[in-house]
Amino acid sequence: EVQLVESGGGLVQPGGSLRLSCVGSGFRFSSYWMTWVRQAPGKGLEWVAYIKEDGSEKYYVDSVKGRFTISRDNAKSSLYLQMNSLRAGDTASYYCARVVSGAIFGDNLDVWGQGTTVTVSS
Amino acid sequence: DIQMTQSPSSLSASVGDRVTITCRASQSVRSYLNWYQQKPGKAPKLLIYAVSTLQSGVPSRFSGTGSGTDFTLTISSLQPEDLATYYCQQSNSVPYTFGQGTKLESK
């Protein structure tokens, strides 16, 4: 079964740091771009960051640039999101997702984890 | 960044109704438009990619059309399990922005 499982969420004070992890199973992790998407309570989906199969390319939404770092360890089938200088506005459920890439069909997110919740509050 | 705007934001419908949700992009996204379904407390699920291609396992009552800046998601005959929030997403250019969502509720 193809699966993604996130962990690492929790309560953190403003200005603090947190590292999210996502472990993939049931597929060749190293063959896929991967992404993080977040959802603030009661709000819509926001694409956060995106990393190439080998980690050589990374992209971020402007609101997290310079504060968040996406990385991966293909030997461990793991994706990470290092979040620094956290703000109340970063409070959300964070989902990792597998990206199916194609020049004809574009990119889509075909497998999602269950999400991990990050709460930034004093 | 490309802005994605969905309408309506919420919709009440009955089982058996034909339902249409629209998504408009602030600039052309060519055919790089996906639709996701999300039920309360669950992760989103890919429904349709590249405007009109159904993801494996998605019922044929779902369909998508459009190109460039204007897109639609149609449910031909609403079923109880279709009550959810639907999001469009463009993958033409980073950041891959989502629409604000359309919440489909029971009338």
Side-chain angles (χ1 to χ4, degrees):
Chain A
E1 179 191 7
V2 175
Q3 195 173 9
L4 294 169
V5 178
E6 303 97 334
S7 61
L11 174 64
V12 61
Q13 292 188 340
S17 298
L18 213 53
R19 188 196 197 204
L20 306 184
S21 299
C22 168
V23 178
S25 59
F27 65 101
R28 184 172 291 180
F29 186 84
S30 59
S31 296
Y32 292 87
W33 286 70
M34 296 293 295
T35 191
W36 288 98
V37 174
R38 68 183 178 181
Q39 186 170 36
K43 302 298 183 181
L45 302 171
E46 180 181 35
W47 179 91
V48 173
Y50 182 45
I51 186 168
K52 194 175 180 179
E53 296 98 326
D54 62 1
S56 61
E57 294 182 35
K58 304 174 184 181
Y59 300 90
Y60 301 91
V61 69
D62 283 349
S63 59
V64 309
K65 281 179 184 175
R67 300 188 300 122
F68 289 12
T69 302
I70 189 171
S71 63
R72 64 192 296 161
D73 183 341
N74 287 337
K76 297 182 178 179
S77 297
S78 293
L79 175 72
Y80 305 103
L81 187 67
Q82 177 67 43
M83 304 185 295
N84 298 331
S85 303
L86 282 161
R87 308 165 179 167
D90 297 317
T91 294
S93 292
Y94 285 74
Y95 297 97
C96 66
R98 186 176 80 171
V99 182
V100 173
S101 298
I104 296 176
F105 295 116
D107 292 354
N108 62 77
L109 312 184
D110 74 327
V111 178
W112 295 65
Q114 84 288 351
T116 188
T117 300
V118 173
T119 303
V120 184
S121 175
S122 54
Chain B
D1 298 358
I2 297 176
Q3 307 302 314
M4 306 300 292
T5 303
Q6 290 180 229
S7 60
S9 295
S10 63
L11 176 59
S12 296
S14 301
V15 172
D17 284 354
R18 182 181 182 88
V19 171
T20 299
I21 298 168
T22 65
C23 176
R24 175 164 288 176
S26 59
Q27 62 190 76
S28 176
V29 298
R30 296 180 285 176
S31 294
Y32 298 150
L33 191 286
N34 307 315
W35 290 96
Y36 300 85
Q37 176 194 66
Q38 187 180 32
K39 296 182 178 180
K42 300 294 186 181
K45 170 188 170 184
L46 177 65
L47 281 181
I48 291 173
Y49 60 94
V51 178
S52 60
T53 303
L54 261 61
Q55 176 69 347
S56 176
V58 173
S60 59
R61 62 181 178 273
F62 290 91
S63 64
T65 60
S67 66
T69 60
D70 294 302
F71 304 90
T72 61
L73 170 70
T74 299
I75 308 172
S76 60
S77 179
L78 187 70
Q79 299 302 302
E81 60 267 30
D82 301 335
L83 299 178
T85 300
Y86 293 84
Y87 295 92
C88 61
Q89 181 216 17
Q90 63 84 17
S91 63
N92 182 73
S93 61
V94 170
Y96 288 168
T97 42
F98 291 89
Q100 82 280 13
T102 296
K103 186 173 184 179
L104 186 49
E105 300 173 305
S106 177
K107 184 182 287 184

